[in-house]
Amino acid sequence: MLLHEVITTEKVPFTYRVAGIGSRFLAWWCDLMILFGLLLVGNLFVSPLELGRTGVGMAVALLWQFALLWGYFVFFEWLWQGQTPGKRLLGIRVIDWGGTGVSFFQAAVRNILRAADGLPLPFFLYGLGFVVAACNREQRRLGDLAAGTLVVHVERKAQPIQALPEGRSEADRARQALLRQRLGQLDHAQKQTLLDLCLRRDQLRLAERTRLFRALAEYFQGRLDLAPAEYQSDEKFVLQLAAALTERGP
């Protein structure tokens, strides 16, 4: 089992279990089946257009194919925290080399380079990409090397982030709304770091866990002008922020 260790700026180590070629291949195969299904569905809808006016249906079909082949992996990995439906099914995800979530730029770079990873075969069969992944320790293909990303297993034993309870008073609902509003000031990387820490908190030693949550609580007090006075600990304060971040507003 290959582990990738990330040392945070607070000198706290996080370890990730690197996904092997086998699990990545199975995830890719699942995504490929979904892609073929979506292509077939699209062709069924454009057939009437082709019958109505020659050339229109073909143009729509080509646009649909282009959007799926180049957009499917990019948008799912960006919006689903590094996971496509196939990766979610296999319990793996794409992360930044530093342990945070991937940005849209990283998702785009690693997936645009699928064309190079497929050489000399069709781009979806991964000829060169398989060779490159097999020859480096973290089994990263060309797209991963260029984007600075890594595919890892999702920690299934991580404690879930509990949703905020339903507000029992107007003050509770107002505070929840305030938390969601203030958290909207954070960028994608900051939000992902907050969620990753809360999900992986049980992997930290007690002293490191206490120190890291204290530092994060102090940061958010200053960054978002929030005070954790009503919470019993820094960790509970940060967990409430993460819960507010994942909760949908009314």
Side-chain angles (χ1 to χ4, degrees), residues 71-85 87-88 93-95 101-111 187-189 192:
Y72 174 90
F73 291 96
V74 174
F75 284 99
F76 269 118
E77 289 182 358
W78 177 47
L79 297 174
W80 274 16
Q81 300 179 10
Q83 289 186 308
T84 59
K87 287 185 176 68
R88 179 166 291 189
R93 62 178 289 215
V94 183
I95 63 171
V102 292
S103 64
F104 176 81
F105 175 77
Q106 289 176 303
V109 168
R110 76 183 302 274
N111 286 292
D187 59 29
H188 177 76
Q192 189 62 53

Side-chain angles (χ1 to χ4, degrees), residues 42-65:
N43 288 335
L44 291 177
F45 279 98
V46 301
S47 295
L49 295 176
E50 186 67 22
L51 293 175
R53 185 170 182 180
T54 304
V56 174
M58 182 62 69
V60 173
L62 290 175
L63 289 174
W64 177 242
Q65 292 173 17

Side-chain angles (χ1 to χ4, degrees), residues 92-124:
I92 61 177
R93 62 178 289 215
V94 183
I95 63 171
D96 176 80
W97 184 253
T100 59
V102 292
S103 64
F104 176 81
F105 175 77
Q106 289 176 303
V109 168
R110 76 183 302 274
N111 286 292
I112 288 173
L113 284 177
R114 288 180 187 273
D117 280 315
L119 295 174
L121 304 169
F123 81 96
F124 54 84

Side-chain angles (χ1 to χ4, degrees), residues 16-225:
Y16 298 87
R17 188 159 55 97
V18 177
I21 293 177
S23 56
R24 295 179 64 174
F25 173 80
L26 291 176
W28 164 81
W29 183 256
C30 293
D31 284 320
L32 194 61
M33 294 299 101
I34 295 173
L35 272 173
F36 282 153
L38 292 173
L39 288 172
L40 290 176
V41 171
N43 288 335
L44 291 177
F45 279 98
V46 301
S47 295
L49 295 176
E50 186 67 22
L51 293 175
R53 185 170 182 180
T54 304
V56 174
M58 182 62 69
V60 173
L62 290 175
L63 289 174
W64 177 242
Q65 292 173 17
F66 178 83
L68 282 178
L69 294 177
W70 293 103
Y72 174 90
F73 291 96
V74 174
F75 284 99
F76 269 118
E77 289 182 358
W78 177 47
L79 297 174
W80 274 16
Q81 300 179 10
Q83 289 186 308
T84 59
K87 287 185 176 68
R88 179 166 291 189
L89 184 63
L90 269 294
I92 61 177
R93 62 178 289 215
V94 183
I95 63 171
D96 176 80
W97 184 253
T100 59
V102 292
S103 64
F104 176 81
F105 175 77
Q106 289 176 303
V109 168
R110 76 183 302 274
N111 286 292
I112 288 173
L113 284 177
R114 288 180 187 273
D117 280 315
L119 295 174
L121 304 169
F123 81 96
F124 54 84
L125 293 181
Y126 293 99
L128 181 60
F130 177 83
V131 174
V132 173
C135 292
N136 68 81
R137 183 174 178 270
E138 292 81 15
Q139 301 186 356
R140 303 162 76 196
R141 59 179 178 83
L142 289 175
D144 291 312
L145 295 171
T149 56
L150 179 69
V151 182
V152 298
H153 287 277
V154 175
E155 182 56 54
R156 297 187 181 275
K157 294 183 179 180
Q159 290 188 14
I161 299 173
Q162 298 295 331
L164 290 173
E166 293 294 329
R168 297 180 180 178
S169 66
E170 288 297 328
D172 293 331
R173 289 192 289 270
R175 178 169 180 80
Q176 292 179 22
L178 175 63
L179 287 176
R180 290 193 296 269
Q181 179 184 8
R182 297 285 179 85
L183 288 167
Q185 303 173 22
L186 303 179
D187 59 29
H188 177 76
Q190 290 171 326
K191 293 177 181 178
Q192 189 62 53
T193 300
L194 171 61
L195 293 176
D196 282 345
L197 172 61
C198 293
L199 287 170
R200 301 176 66 86
R201 60 191 184 277
D202 281 345
Q203 300 179 30
L204 297 171
R205 290 188 290 271
L206 180 60
E208 295 171 340
R209 179 169 170 169
T210 302
R211 178 160 52 89
L212 191 55
F213 272 98
R214 181 182 299 116
L216 206 58
E218 292 174 353
Y219 171 79
F220 282 117
Q221 289 179 64
R223 177 71 171 78
L224 304 177
D225 192 23

